[in-house]
Amino acid sequence: MDTTPSTPNNAPVLDALADVLRKRRHASPDDSYVASLHYKGLNKILEKLGEEATETLLAAKDAEHGSFDERQALVAETADLWFHSLVMLSHLDLDHQDVLNELARRFGISGHDEKATRPQ
């Protein structure tokens, strides 16, 4: 039995989430968590992103030799980190597809070689 959660129109989850983020960006801050983050501005979004990054790091330390629950906590924290990264991108009028395109561009290139080609 497939236990994969469904998304609107069976869209890939990142596409469906991006659509929700676009719609909620200009909603009332009282009605939408995403709208409230946008309303508070980039600094608040970055603060939340930093908080989620820290929680992910701590969860990873617990998960390294941890129980199933600790490993699931890492998955949940990583989902929070990704979500808030998507909110940040949305706030800056960027899209998850830009990140996926960059990852695709780097695919098959040595990490050392790719890093060496970045502007200093």
Side-chain angles (χ1 to χ4, degrees):
M1 174 180 208
D2 184 12
T3 60
T4 304
S6 64
T7 57
N9 303 319
N10 293 321
V13 70
L14 288 177
D15 293 337
L17 184 54
D19 187 49
V20 169
L21 292 177
R22 269 190 297 280
K23 290 175 181 171
R24 293 187 183 165
R25 180 173 179 177
H26 300 291
S28 167
D30 295 331
D31 296 335
S32 166
Y33 174 69
V34 170
S36 73
L37 288 173
H38 285 293
Y39 179 79
K40 293 173 186 172
L42 183 60
N43 283 348
K44 183 62 176 178
I45 295 168
L46 297 177
E47 178 185 313
K48 190 65 182 163
L49 187 59
E51 175 187 317
E52 296 302 341
T54 299
E55 290 174 2
T56 302
L57 294 171
L58 295 173
K61 291 296 287 180
D62 291 342
E64 183 177 24
H65 302 291
S67 67
F68 174 81
D69 288 344
E70 289 168 318
R71 296 175 72 75
Q72 287 304 113
L74 173 58
V75 170
E77 291 299 344
T78 302
D80 290 346
L81 178 62
W82 287 14
F83 174 82
H84 287 89
S85 295
L86 292 170
V87 172
M88 175 195 64
L89 291 171
S90 172
H91 191 79
L92 297 170
D93 294 319
L94 293 167
D95 189 84
H96 69 280
Q97 193 59 53
D98 298 318
V99 177
L100 294 176
N101 291 344
E102 177 61 14
L103 288 171
R105 183 192 69 77
R106 294 179 185 187
F107 196 79
I109 300 172
S110 156
H112 293 299
D113 292 343
E114 190 283 325
K115 190 171 182 178
T117 64
R118 291 185 200 170
Q120 299 299 326

